[in-house]
PDB file of all heavy atoms in Angstrom:
ATOM      1  N   SER A  24      -2.465   0.837   4.483  1.00 99.00           N
ATOM      2  CA  SER A  24      -2.528   1.447   3.107  1.00 99.00           C
ATOM      3  C   SER A  24      -3.999   1.113   2.554  1.00 99.00           C
ATOM      4  O   SER A  24      -4.506   0.238   2.848  1.00 99.00           O
ATOM      5  CB  SER A  24      -1.518   0.868   2.162  1.00 99.00           C
ATOM      6  OG  SER A  24      -1.555  -0.522   1.991  1.00 99.00           O
ATOM      7  N   PHE A  25      -4.386   2.063   1.635  1.00 98.00           N
ATOM      8  CA  PHE A  25      -5.656   2.055   1.048  1.00 98.00           C
ATOM      9  C   PHE A  25      -5.494   2.319  -0.405  1.00 98.00           C
ATOM     10  O   PHE A  25      -4.876   3.285  -0.793  1.00 98.00           O
ATOM     11  CB  PHE A  25      -6.635   3.019   1.797  1.00 98.00           C
ATOM     12  CG  PHE A  25      -6.656   2.826   3.335  1.00 98.00           C
ATOM     13  CD1 PHE A  25      -5.630   3.416   4.152  1.00 98.00           C
ATOM     14  CD2 PHE A  25      -7.496   1.945   3.938  1.00 98.00           C
ATOM     15  CE1 PHE A  25      -5.686   3.088   5.509  1.00 98.00           C
ATOM     16  CE2 PHE A  25      -7.541   1.687   5.226  1.00 98.00           C
ATOM     17  CZ  PHE A  25      -6.615   2.152   6.119  1.00 98.00           C
ATOM     18  N   ASP A  26      -6.362   1.733  -1.154  1.00 98.00           N
ATOM     19  CA  ASP A  26      -6.369   1.914  -2.687  1.00 98.00           C
ATOM     20  C   ASP A  26      -7.552   2.672  -3.237  1.00 98.00           C
ATOM     21  O   ASP A  26      -8.566   2.680  -2.732  1.00 98.00           O
ATOM     22  CB  ASP A  26      -6.268   0.543  -3.252  1.00 98.00           C
ATOM     23  CG  ASP A  26      -4.974  -0.214  -3.009  1.00 98.00           C
ATOM     24  OD1 ASP A  26      -4.129   0.367  -2.322  1.00 98.00           O
ATOM     25  OD2 ASP A  26      -4.733  -1.318  -3.475  1.00 98.00           O
ATOM     26  N   ASP A  27      -7.187   3.382  -4.356  1.00 98.00           N
ATOM     27  CA  ASP A  27      -8.161   3.884  -5.343  1.00 98.00           C
ATOM     28  C   ASP A  27      -8.857   5.189  -4.959  1.00 98.00           C
ATOM     29  O   ASP A  27      -9.466   5.684  -5.812  1.00 98.00           O
ATOM     30  CB  ASP A  27      -9.463   2.872  -5.408  1.00 98.00           C
ATOM     31  CG  ASP A  27      -9.154   1.559  -5.761  1.00 98.00           C
ATOM     32  OD1 ASP A  27      -7.941   1.271  -6.476  1.00 98.00           O
ATOM     33  OD2 ASP A  27      -9.924   0.543  -5.585  1.00 98.00           O
ATOM     34  N   ARG A  29     -10.940   6.170  -2.606  1.00 98.00           N
ATOM     35  CA  ARG A  29     -12.447   6.010  -2.629  1.00 98.00           C
ATOM     36  C   ARG A  29     -12.991   7.120  -1.639  1.00 98.00           C
ATOM     37  O   ARG A  29     -12.276   7.528  -0.681  1.00 98.00           O
ATOM     38  CB  ARG A  29     -12.706   4.622  -2.115  1.00 98.00           C
ATOM     39  CG  ARG A  29     -12.257   3.610  -3.007  1.00 98.00           C
ATOM     40  CD  ARG A  29     -12.895   2.261  -2.879  1.00 98.00           C
ATOM     41  NE  ARG A  29     -12.311   1.266  -3.730  1.00 98.00           N
ATOM     42  CZ  ARG A  29     -12.859  -0.054  -3.966  1.00 98.00           C
ATOM     43  NH1 ARG A  29     -13.980  -0.314  -3.393  1.00 98.00           N
ATOM     44  NH2 ARG A  29     -12.335  -0.831  -4.853  1.00 98.00           N
ATOM     45  N   ALA A  30     -14.247   7.635  -1.950  1.00 98.00           N
ATOM     46  CA  ALA A  30     -14.786   8.688  -1.178  1.00 98.00           C
ATOM     47  C   ALA A  30     -14.718   8.314   0.436  1.00 98.00           C
ATOM     48  O   ALA A  30     -14.510   9.336   1.105  1.00 98.00           O
ATOM     49  CB  ALA A  30     -16.147   9.021  -1.779  1.00 98.00           C
ATOM     50  N   SER A  31     -15.117   7.210   0.713  1.00 98.00           N
ATOM     51  CA  SER A  31     -15.178   6.891   2.110  1.00 98.00           C
ATOM     52  C   SER A  31     -13.949   7.061   2.903  1.00 98.00           C
ATOM     53  O   SER A  31     -13.882   7.280   4.239  1.00 98.00           O
ATOM     54  CB  SER A  31     -15.722   5.424   2.285  1.00 98.00           C
ATOM     55  OG  SER A  31     -14.765   4.564   1.715  1.00 98.00           O
ATOM     56  N   GLN A  32     -12.776   7.150   2.227  1.00 98.00           N
ATOM     57  CA  GLN A  32     -11.536   7.276   2.881  1.00 98.00           C
ATOM     58  C   GLN A  32     -11.397   8.623   3.454  1.00 98.00           C
ATOM     59  O   GLN A  32     -10.888   8.828   4.622  1.00 98.00           O
ATOM     60  CB  GLN A  32     -10.450   6.888   1.845  1.00 98.00           C
ATOM     61  CG  GLN A  32     -10.328   5.514   1.399  1.00 98.00           C
ATOM     62  CD  GLN A  32      -9.439   5.206   0.295  1.00 98.00           C
ATOM     63  OE1 GLN A  32      -8.773   6.112  -0.201  1.00 98.00           O
ATOM     64  NE2 GLN A  32      -9.386   3.993  -0.141  1.00 98.00           N
ATOM     65  N   ALA A  35     -14.783   9.565   6.016  1.00 95.00           N
ATOM     66  CA  ALA A  35     -14.817   8.887   7.301  1.00 95.00           C
ATOM     67  C   ALA A  35     -13.534   8.341   7.771  1.00 95.00           C
ATOM     68  O   ALA A  35     -13.178   8.424   8.966  1.00 95.00           O
ATOM     69  CB  ALA A  35     -15.879   7.857   7.297  1.00 95.00           C
ATOM     70  N   GLY A  36     -12.756   7.825   6.827  1.00 98.00           N
ATOM     71  CA  GLY A  36     -11.526   7.111   7.407  1.00 98.00           C
ATOM     72  C   GLY A  36     -10.367   7.989   7.902  1.00 98.00           C
ATOM     73  O   GLY A  36      -9.867   7.652   8.984  1.00 98.00           O
ATOM     74  N   LEU A  39     -10.722   9.131  11.606  1.00 98.00           N
ATOM     75  CA  LEU A  39     -10.271   8.278  12.579  1.00 98.00           C
ATOM     76  C   LEU A  39      -8.726   8.216  12.813  1.00 98.00           C
ATOM     77  O   LEU A  39      -8.235   8.198  13.881  1.00 98.00           O
ATOM     78  CB  LEU A  39     -10.885   6.860  12.377  1.00 98.00           C
ATOM     79  CG  LEU A  39     -10.332   5.696  13.216  1.00 98.00           C
ATOM     80  CD1 LEU A  39     -11.012   5.934  14.621  1.00 98.00           C
ATOM     81  CD2 LEU A  39     -10.667   4.383  12.665  1.00 98.00           C
ATOM     82  N   TRP A 156      -0.862  -7.046  -3.707  1.00 98.00           N
ATOM     83  CA  TRP A 156      -2.145  -7.224  -3.118  1.00 98.00           C
ATOM     84  C   TRP A 156      -2.558  -8.644  -2.926  1.00 98.00           C
ATOM     85  O   TRP A 156      -2.110  -9.470  -3.741  1.00 98.00           O
ATOM     86  CB  TRP A 156      -3.137  -6.499  -4.023  1.00 98.00           C
ATOM     87  CG  TRP A 156      -4.706  -6.785  -3.771  1.00 98.00           C
ATOM     88  CD1 TRP A 156      -5.483  -7.402  -4.714  1.00 98.00           C
ATOM     89  CD2 TRP A 156      -5.365  -6.450  -2.740  1.00 98.00           C
ATOM     90  NE1 TRP A 156      -6.761  -7.427  -4.139  1.00 98.00           N
ATOM     91  CE2 TRP A 156      -6.779  -6.873  -2.998  1.00 98.00           C
ATOM     92  CE3 TRP A 156      -5.141  -5.882  -1.388  1.00 98.00           C
ATOM     93  CZ2 TRP A 156      -7.782  -6.774  -2.110  1.00 98.00           C
ATOM     94  CZ3 TRP A 156      -6.150  -5.831  -0.440  1.00 98.00           C
ATOM     95  CH2 TRP A 156      -7.538  -6.196  -0.678  1.00 98.00           C
ATOM     96  N   LEU A 157      -3.305  -8.964  -1.783  1.00 97.00           N
ATOM     97  CA  LEU A 157      -3.627 -10.333  -1.578  1.00 97.00           C
ATOM     98  C   LEU A 157      -2.415 -11.332  -1.469  1.00 97.00           C
ATOM     99  O   LEU A 157      -2.469 -12.395  -1.800  1.00 97.00           O
ATOM    100  CB  LEU A 157      -4.620 -10.913  -2.680  1.00 97.00           C
ATOM    101  CG  LEU A 157      -5.930 -10.323  -2.730  1.00 97.00           C
ATOM    102  CD1 LEU A 157      -6.790 -10.875  -3.711  1.00 97.00           C
ATOM    103  CD2 LEU A 157      -6.723 -10.244  -1.380  1.00 97.00           C
ATOM    104  N   MET A 175      -1.032  -7.336   2.539  1.00 98.00           N
ATOM    105  CA  MET A 175      -1.912  -8.247   3.062  1.00 98.00           C
ATOM    106  C   MET A 175      -3.387  -7.633   3.308  1.00 98.00           C
ATOM    107  O   MET A 175      -3.466  -6.539   3.889  1.00 98.00           O
ATOM    108  CB  MET A 175      -1.443  -8.928   4.414  1.00 98.00           C
ATOM    109  CG  MET A 175      -0.061  -9.676   4.030  1.00 98.00           C
ATOM    110  SD  MET A 175       0.456 -10.631   5.365  1.00 98.00           S
ATOM    111  CE  MET A 175      -0.764 -11.825   5.416  1.00 98.00           C
ATOM    112  N   GLU A 176      -4.374  -8.284   2.884  1.00 98.00           N
ATOM    113  CA  GLU A 176      -5.792  -7.735   2.974  1.00 98.00           C
ATOM    114  C   GLU A 176      -6.223  -7.473   4.452  1.00 98.00           C
ATOM    115  O   GLU A 176      -6.151  -8.369   5.207  1.00 98.00           O
ATOM    116  CB  GLU A 176      -6.824  -8.604   2.280  1.00 98.00           C
ATOM    117  CG  GLU A 176      -8.158  -7.995   2.226  1.00 98.00           C
ATOM    118  CD  GLU A 176      -9.095  -8.970   1.448  1.00 98.00           C
ATOM    119  OE1 GLU A 176      -8.837 -10.126   1.257  1.00 98.00           O
ATOM    120  OE2 GLU A 176     -10.036  -8.448   0.859  1.00 98.00           O
ATOM    121  N   MET A 177      -6.845  -6.314   4.635  1.00 98.00           N
ATOM    122  CA  MET A 177      -7.507  -6.154   5.847  1.00 98.00           C
ATOM    123  C   MET A 177      -9.109  -5.802   5.756  1.00 98.00           C
ATOM    124  O   MET A 177      -9.715  -5.517   6.777  1.00 98.00           O
ATOM    125  CB  MET A 177      -6.773  -5.004   6.642  1.00 98.00           C
ATOM    126  CG  MET A 177      -6.809  -3.636   6.013  1.00 98.00           C
ATOM    127  SD  MET A 177      -5.920  -2.370   7.032  1.00 98.00           S
ATOM    128  CE  MET A 177      -5.663  -1.088   5.874  1.00 98.00           C
ATOM    129  N   ASP A 178      -9.346  -5.714   4.478  1.00 98.00           N
ATOM    130  CA  ASP A 178     -10.899  -5.694   4.118  1.00 98.00           C
ATOM    131  C   ASP A 178     -11.742  -6.780   4.731  1.00 98.00           C
ATOM    132  O   ASP A 178     -11.367  -7.957   4.830  1.00 98.00           O
ATOM    133  CB  ASP A 178     -11.121  -5.559   2.787  1.00 98.00           C
ATOM    134  CG  ASP A 178     -10.713  -4.249   2.099  1.00 98.00           C
ATOM    135  OD1 ASP A 178     -10.550  -3.319   2.688  1.00 98.00           O
ATOM    136  OD2 ASP A 178     -10.618  -4.248   0.825  1.00 98.00           O
ATOM    137  N   GLY A 179     -12.890  -6.443   5.342  1.00 98.00           N
ATOM    138  CA  GLY A 179     -13.807  -7.405   5.854  1.00 98.00           C
ATOM    139  C   GLY A 179     -13.283  -8.176   6.996  1.00 98.00           C
ATOM    140  O   GLY A 179     -13.916  -9.318   7.346  1.00 98.00           O
ATOM    141  N   LYS A 180     -12.252  -7.738   7.757  1.00 98.00           N
ATOM    142  CA  LYS A 180     -11.774  -8.465   8.856  1.00 98.00           C
ATOM    143  C   LYS A 180     -11.957  -7.702  10.232  1.00 98.00           C
ATOM    144  O   LYS A 180     -11.911  -6.531  10.300  1.00 98.00           O
ATOM    145  CB  LYS A 180     -10.272  -8.758   8.719  1.00 98.00           C
ATOM    146  CG  LYS A 180      -9.868  -9.645   7.596  1.00 98.00           C
ATOM    147  CD  LYS A 180      -8.497  -9.918   7.390  1.00 98.00           C
ATOM    148  CE  LYS A 180      -8.098 -11.169   6.391  1.00 98.00           C
ATOM    149  NZ  LYS A 180      -8.889 -11.163   5.200  1.00 98.00           N
ATOM    150  N   ASP A 181     -12.217  -8.458  11.263  1.00 97.00           N
ATOM    151  CA  ASP A 181     -12.192  -8.005  12.684  1.00 97.00           C
ATOM    152  C   ASP A 181     -10.719  -7.964  13.166  1.00 97.00           C
ATOM    153  O   ASP A 181      -9.854  -8.633  12.628  1.00 97.00           O
ATOM    154  CB  ASP A 181     -13.080  -8.796  13.558  1.00 97.00           C
ATOM    155  CG  ASP A 181     -14.565  -8.768  13.046  1.00 97.00           C
ATOM    156  OD1 ASP A 181     -15.100  -7.709  12.785  1.00 97.00           O
ATOM    157  OD2 ASP A 181     -15.145  -9.786  13.172  1.00 97.00           O
ATOM    158  N   PHE A 182     -10.505  -7.250  14.193  1.00 98.00           N
ATOM    159  CA  PHE A 182      -9.258  -7.103  14.710  1.00 98.00           C
ATOM    160  C   PHE A 182      -8.727  -8.491  15.148  1.00 98.00           C
ATOM    161  O   PHE A 182      -7.422  -8.866  15.120  1.00 98.00           O
ATOM    162  CB  PHE A 182      -9.104  -6.232  16.013  1.00 98.00           C
ATOM    163  CG  PHE A 182      -7.686  -6.108  16.633  1.00 98.00           C
ATOM    164  CD1 PHE A 182      -6.692  -5.640  15.967  1.00 98.00           C
ATOM    165  CD2 PHE A 182      -7.510  -6.591  17.892  1.00 98.00           C
ATOM    166  CE1 PHE A 182      -5.370  -5.603  16.624  1.00 98.00           C
ATOM    167  CE2 PHE A 182      -6.403  -6.521  18.504  1.00 98.00           C
ATOM    168  CZ  PHE A 182      -5.218  -6.047  17.822  1.00 98.00           C
ATOM    169  N   GLN A 184      -8.855 -10.990  13.766  1.00 98.00           N
ATOM    170  CA  GLN A 184      -8.464 -11.892  12.533  1.00 98.00           C
ATOM    171  C   GLN A 184      -7.125 -11.117  12.086  1.00 98.00           C
ATOM    172  O   GLN A 184      -6.268 -11.873  11.486  1.00 98.00           O
ATOM    173  CB  GLN A 184      -9.386 -11.768  11.346  1.00 98.00           C
ATOM    174  CG  GLN A 184     -10.669 -12.507  11.639  1.00 98.00           C
ATOM    175  CD  GLN A 184     -11.710 -12.259  10.489  1.00 98.00           C
ATOM    176  OE1 GLN A 184     -12.356 -11.187  10.501  1.00 98.00           O
ATOM    177  NE2 GLN A 184     -11.841 -13.172   9.497  1.00 98.00           N
ATOM    178  N   ILE A 185      -6.811  -9.894  12.416  1.00 98.00           N
ATOM    179  CA  ILE A 185      -5.557  -9.266  12.147  1.00 98.00           C
ATOM    180  C   ILE A 185      -4.522  -9.571  13.064  1.00 98.00           C
ATOM    181  O   ILE A 185      -3.385  -9.612  12.673  1.00 98.00           O
ATOM    182  CB  ILE A 185      -5.776  -7.789  11.996  1.00 98.00           C
ATOM    183  CG1 ILE A 185      -6.832  -7.374  10.972  1.00 98.00           C
ATOM    184  CG2 ILE A 185      -4.567  -6.996  11.803  1.00 98.00           C
ATOM    185  CD1 ILE A 185      -6.374  -7.679   9.549  1.00 98.00           C
ATOM    186  N   LEU A 201      -0.533  -3.647   5.529  1.00 98.00           N
ATOM    187  CA  LEU A 201      -1.919  -3.980   5.439  1.00 98.00           C
ATOM    188  C   LEU A 201      -2.623  -3.140   4.369  1.00 98.00           C
ATOM    189  O   LEU A 201      -2.206  -2.005   4.177  1.00 98.00           O
ATOM    190  CB  LEU A 201      -2.740  -3.783   6.644  1.00 98.00           C
ATOM    191  CG  LEU A 201      -2.283  -4.694   7.873  1.00 98.00           C
ATOM    192  CD1 LEU A 201      -2.906  -4.245   9.195  1.00 98.00           C
ATOM    193  CD2 LEU A 201      -2.691  -6.162   7.546  1.00 98.00           C
ATOM    194  N   ALA A 202      -3.416  -3.861   3.429  1.00 98.00           N
ATOM    195  CA  ALA A 202      -3.966  -3.036   2.406  1.00 98.00           C
ATOM    196  C   ALA A 202      -5.623  -3.172   2.412  1.00 98.00           C
ATOM    197  O   ALA A 202      -6.092  -4.321   2.672  1.00 98.00           O
ATOM    198  CB  ALA A 202      -3.492  -3.751   1.107  1.00 98.00           C
ATOM    199  N   GLY A 203      -6.259  -2.065   2.190  1.00 98.00           N
ATOM    200  CA  GLY A 203      -7.726  -2.011   2.215  1.00 98.00           C
ATOM    201  C   GLY A 203      -8.212  -1.082   1.028  1.00 98.00           C
ATOM    202  O   GLY A 203      -7.467  -0.500   0.286  1.00 98.00           O
ATOM    203  N   HIS A 204      -9.589  -0.942   1.110  1.00 98.00           N
ATOM    204  CA  HIS A 204     -10.264  -0.045   0.138  1.00 98.00           C
ATOM    205  C   HIS A 204     -11.153   0.858   0.803  1.00 98.00           C
ATOM    206  O   HIS A 204     -10.783   1.910   1.323  1.00 98.00           O
ATOM    207  CB  HIS A 204     -10.924  -0.936  -0.973  1.00 98.00           C
ATOM    208  CG  HIS A 204      -9.911  -1.745  -1.770  1.00 98.00           C
ATOM    209  ND1 HIS A 204      -9.483  -2.959  -1.407  1.00 98.00           N
ATOM    210  CD2 HIS A 204      -9.399  -1.387  -2.981  1.00 98.00           C
ATOM    211  CE1 HIS A 204      -8.582  -3.422  -2.366  1.00 98.00           C
ATOM    212  NE2 HIS A 204      -8.573  -2.554  -3.313  1.00 98.00           N
ATOM    213  N   GLU A 205     -12.424   0.605   0.743  1.00 98.00           N
ATOM    214  CA  GLU A 205     -13.421   1.388   1.500  1.00 98.00           C
ATOM    215  C   GLU A 205     -13.119   1.389   2.902  1.00 98.00           C
ATOM    216  O   GLU A 205     -12.544   0.614   3.478  1.00 98.00           O
ATOM    217  CB  GLU A 205     -14.923   0.860   1.255  1.00 98.00           C
ATOM    218  CG  GLU A 205     -15.334   0.706  -0.242  1.00 98.00           C
ATOM    219  CD  GLU A 205     -15.661   2.004  -0.792  1.00 98.00           C
ATOM    220  OE1 GLU A 205     -15.659   3.085  -0.160  1.00 98.00           O
ATOM    221  OE2 GLU A 205     -16.007   2.152  -1.999  1.00 98.00           O
ATOM    222  N   MET A 206     -13.512   2.610   3.631  1.00 98.00           N
ATOM    223  CA  MET A 206     -13.357   2.633   5.032  1.00 98.00           C
ATOM    224  C   MET A 206     -14.683   2.914   5.822  1.00 98.00           C
ATOM    225  O   MET A 206     -15.338   4.103   5.567  1.00 98.00           O
ATOM    226  CB  MET A 206     -12.199   3.714   5.403  1.00 98.00           C
ATOM    227  CG  MET A 206     -10.934   3.463   4.834  1.00 98.00           C
ATOM    228  SD  MET A 206      -9.769   4.868   5.239  1.00 98.00           S
ATOM    229  CE  MET A 206      -9.309   4.518   6.793  1.00 98.00           C
ATOM    230  N   GLY A 207     -15.116   2.058   6.472  1.00 98.00           N
ATOM    231  CA  GLY A 207     -16.466   2.079   7.065  1.00 98.00           C
ATOM    232  C   GLY A 207     -16.751   0.927   7.972  1.00 98.00           C
ATOM    233  O   GLY A 207     -15.783   0.351   8.530  1.00 98.00           O
ATOM    234  N   GLU A 208     -18.074   0.583   8.180  1.00 93.00           N
ATOM    235  CA  GLU A 208     -18.334  -0.594   9.100  1.00 93.00           C
ATOM    236  C   GLU A 208     -18.827  -1.756   8.460  1.00 93.00           C
ATOM    237  O   GLU A 208     -18.738  -2.831   8.898  1.00 93.00           O
ATOM    238  CB  GLU A 208     -19.354  -0.105  10.123  1.00 93.00           C
ATOM    239  CG  GLU A 208     -18.712   0.765  11.228  1.00 93.00           C
ATOM    240  CD  GLU A 208     -17.525   0.280  11.844  1.00 93.00           C
ATOM    241  OE1 GLU A 208     -17.314  -0.967  11.912  1.00 93.00           O
ATOM    242  OE2 GLU A 208     -16.862   1.015  12.356  1.00 93.00           O
ATOM    243  N   SER A 209     -19.250  -1.606   7.146  1.00 93.00           N
ATOM    244  CA  SER A 209     -19.706  -2.904   6.465  1.00 93.00           C
ATOM    245  C   SER A 209     -19.707  -2.611   5.004  1.00 93.00           C
ATOM    246  O   SER A 209     -19.475  -1.525   4.482  1.00 93.00           O
ATOM    247  CB  SER A 209     -21.328  -3.188   6.853  1.00 93.00           C
ATOM    248  OG  SER A 209     -22.108  -2.242   6.614  1.00 93.00           O
ATOM    249  N   GLY A 210     -19.942  -3.604   4.221  1.00 93.00           N
ATOM    250  CA  GLY A 210     -19.998  -3.495   2.702  1.00 93.00           C
ATOM    251  C   GLY A 210     -18.729  -4.270   2.096  1.00 93.00           C
ATOM    252  O   GLY A 210     -17.747  -4.724   2.690  1.00 93.00           O
ATOM    253  N   ASN A 211     -18.879  -4.303   0.672  1.00 94.00           N
ATOM    254  CA  ASN A 211     -17.868  -4.880  -0.025  1.00 94.00           C
ATOM    255  C   ASN A 211     -16.451  -4.277   0.011  1.00 94.00           C
ATOM    256  O   ASN A 211     -16.552  -3.011  -0.088  1.00 94.00           O
ATOM    257  CB  ASN A 211     -18.277  -5.126  -1.563  1.00 94.00           C
ATOM    258  CG  ASN A 211     -17.354  -5.959  -2.413  1.00 94.00           C
ATOM    259  OD1 ASN A 211     -16.901  -6.900  -2.036  1.00 94.00           O
ATOM    260  ND2 ASN A 211     -17.109  -5.486  -3.460  1.00 94.00           N
ATOM    261  N   GLN A 212     -15.384  -4.834   0.022  1.00 97.00           N
ATOM    262  CA  GLN A 212     -14.022  -4.328   0.128  1.00 97.00           C
ATOM    263  C   GLN A 212     -13.930  -3.202   1.074  1.00 97.00           C
ATOM    264  O   GLN A 212     -13.446  -2.120   0.756  1.00 97.00           O
ATOM    265  CB  GLN A 212     -13.656  -3.853  -1.303  1.00 97.00           C
ATOM    266  CG  GLN A 212     -13.172  -5.016  -2.227  1.00 97.00           C
ATOM    267  CD  GLN A 212     -12.399  -4.475  -3.419  1.00 97.00           C
ATOM    268  OE1 GLN A 212     -12.666  -3.428  -3.980  1.00 97.00           O
ATOM    269  NE2 GLN A 212     -11.486  -5.288  -3.846  1.00 97.00           N
ATOM    270  N   THR A 213     -14.287  -3.423   2.267  1.00 98.00           N
ATOM    271  CA  THR A 213     -14.351  -2.406   3.295  1.00 98.00           C
ATOM    272  C   THR A 213     -13.581  -2.664   4.516  1.00 98.00           C
ATOM    273  O   THR A 213     -13.751  -3.784   5.109  1.00 98.00           O
ATOM    274  CB  THR A 213     -15.839  -2.121   3.885  1.00 98.00           C
ATOM    275  OG1 THR A 213     -16.623  -1.613   2.635  1.00 98.00           O
ATOM    276  CG2 THR A 213     -15.830  -1.062   4.872  1.00 98.00           C
ATOM    277  N   THR A 214     -12.600  -1.821   4.755  1.00 98.00           N
ATOM    278  CA  THR A 214     -11.872  -2.087   5.992  1.00 98.00           C
ATOM    279  C   THR A 214     -12.589  -1.336   7.130  1.00 98.00           C
ATOM    280  O   THR A 214     -13.102  -0.253   7.065  1.00 98.00           O
ATOM    281  CB  THR A 214     -10.445  -1.207   5.911  1.00 98.00           C
ATOM    282  OG1 THR A 214      -9.576  -1.934   5.016  1.00 98.00           O
ATOM    283  CG2 THR A 214      -9.746  -1.147   7.274  1.00 98.00           C
ATOM    284  N   ARG A 215     -12.886  -2.182   8.228  1.00 98.00           N
ATOM    285  CA  ARG A 215     -13.818  -1.697   9.319  1.00 98.00           C
ATOM    286  C   ARG A 215     -13.163  -0.685  10.264  1.00 98.00           C
ATOM    287  O   ARG A 215     -12.004  -0.980  10.694  1.00 98.00           O
ATOM    288  CB  ARG A 215     -14.305  -2.865  10.079  1.00 98.00           C
ATOM    289  CG  ARG A 215     -15.120  -3.907   9.199  1.00 98.00           C
ATOM    290  CD  ARG A 215     -15.372  -5.249   9.868  1.00 98.00           C
ATOM    291  NE  ARG A 215     -16.118  -6.071   8.967  1.00 98.00           N
ATOM    292  CZ  ARG A 215     -16.180  -7.437   9.138  1.00 98.00           C
ATOM    293  NH1 ARG A 215     -15.635  -8.005  10.291  1.00 98.00           N
ATOM    294  NH2 ARG A 215     -16.923  -8.201   8.311  1.00 98.00           N
ATOM    295  N   LEU A 216     -13.817   0.412  10.415  1.00 98.00           N
ATOM    296  CA  LEU A 216     -13.229   1.420  11.441  1.00 98.00           C
ATOM    297  C   LEU A 216     -13.110   0.910  12.704  1.00 98.00           C
ATOM    298  O   LEU A 216     -12.168   1.236  13.362  1.00 98.00           O
ATOM    299  CB  LEU A 216     -14.215   2.732  11.264  1.00 98.00           C
ATOM    300  CG  LEU A 216     -14.213   3.413   9.965  1.00 98.00           C
ATOM    301  CD1 LEU A 216     -15.047   4.581   9.990  1.00 98.00           C
ATOM    302  CD2 LEU A 216     -12.800   3.774   9.479  1.00 98.00           C
ATOM    303  N   SER A 217     -14.037   0.016  13.051  1.00 98.00           N
ATOM    304  CA  SER A 217     -13.937  -0.606  14.520  1.00 98.00           C
ATOM    305  C   SER A 217     -12.724  -1.401  14.577  1.00 98.00           C
ATOM    306  O   SER A 217     -12.051  -1.527  15.616  1.00 98.00           O
ATOM    307  CB  SER A 217     -15.167  -1.393  14.737  1.00 98.00           C
ATOM    308  OG  SER A 217     -15.431  -2.499  13.764  1.00 98.00           O
ATOM    309  N   MET A 218     -12.307  -2.117  13.527  1.00 98.00           N
ATOM    310  CA  MET A 218     -11.108  -2.941  13.547  1.00 98.00           C
ATOM    311  C   MET A 218      -9.777  -1.992  13.600  1.00 98.00           C
ATOM    312  O   MET A 218      -8.901  -2.184  14.441  1.00 98.00           O
ATOM    313  CB  MET A 218     -11.021  -3.856  12.247  1.00 98.00           C
ATOM    314  CG  MET A 218      -9.782  -4.625  12.180  1.00 98.00           C
ATOM    315  SD  MET A 218      -8.196  -3.838  11.645  1.00 98.00           S
ATOM    316  CE  MET A 218      -8.582  -3.551   9.890  1.00 98.00           C
ATOM    317  N   LEU A 219      -9.848  -0.893  12.827  1.00 98.00           N
ATOM    318  CA  LEU A 219      -8.764   0.003  12.829  1.00 98.00           C
ATOM    319  C   LEU A 219      -8.535   0.602  14.151  1.00 98.00           C
ATOM    320  O   LEU A 219      -7.408   0.820  14.633  1.00 98.00           O
ATOM    321  CB  LEU A 219      -8.900   1.157  11.749  1.00 98.00           C
ATOM    322  CG  LEU A 219      -8.704   0.790  10.326  1.00 98.00           C
ATOM    323  CD1 LEU A 219      -9.090   1.818   9.249  1.00 98.00           C
ATOM    324  CD2 LEU A 219      -7.312   0.389  10.186  1.00 98.00           C
ATOM    325  N   LYS A 220      -9.624   0.984  14.787  1.00 98.00           N
ATOM    326  CA  LYS A 220      -9.658   1.634  16.165  1.00 98.00           C
ATOM    327  C   LYS A 220      -8.892   0.612  17.114  1.00 98.00           C
ATOM    328  O   LYS A 220      -7.901   1.043  17.787  1.00 98.00           O
ATOM    329  CB  LYS A 220     -11.042   1.854  16.633  1.00 98.00           C
ATOM    330  CG  LYS A 220     -10.990   2.626  18.035  1.00 98.00           C
ATOM    331  CD  LYS A 220     -12.363   2.964  18.353  1.00 98.00           C
ATOM    332  CE  LYS A 220     -12.504   3.905  19.583  1.00 98.00           C
ATOM    333  NZ  LYS A 220     -12.161   3.038  20.829  1.00 98.00           N
TER     334      LYS A 220
END
Side-chain angles (χ1 to χ4, degrees):
S24 66
F25 305 88
D26 292 359
D27 304 336
R29 302 201 183 187
S31 63
Q32 294 168 3
L39 176 67
W156 167 240
L157 295 181
M175 301 186 72
E176 185 180 23
M177 59 179 165
D178 287 340
K180 292 179 168 50
D181 295 321
F182 178 64
Q184 294 171 283
I185 298 294
L201 294 169
H204 293 84
E205 302 286 355
M206 299 177 76
E208 286 305 338
S209 62
N211 184 46
Q212 282 199 327
T213 299
T214 291
R215 296 169 184 164
L216 296 181
S217 55
M218 181 281 289
L219 284 175
K220 184 175 185 294

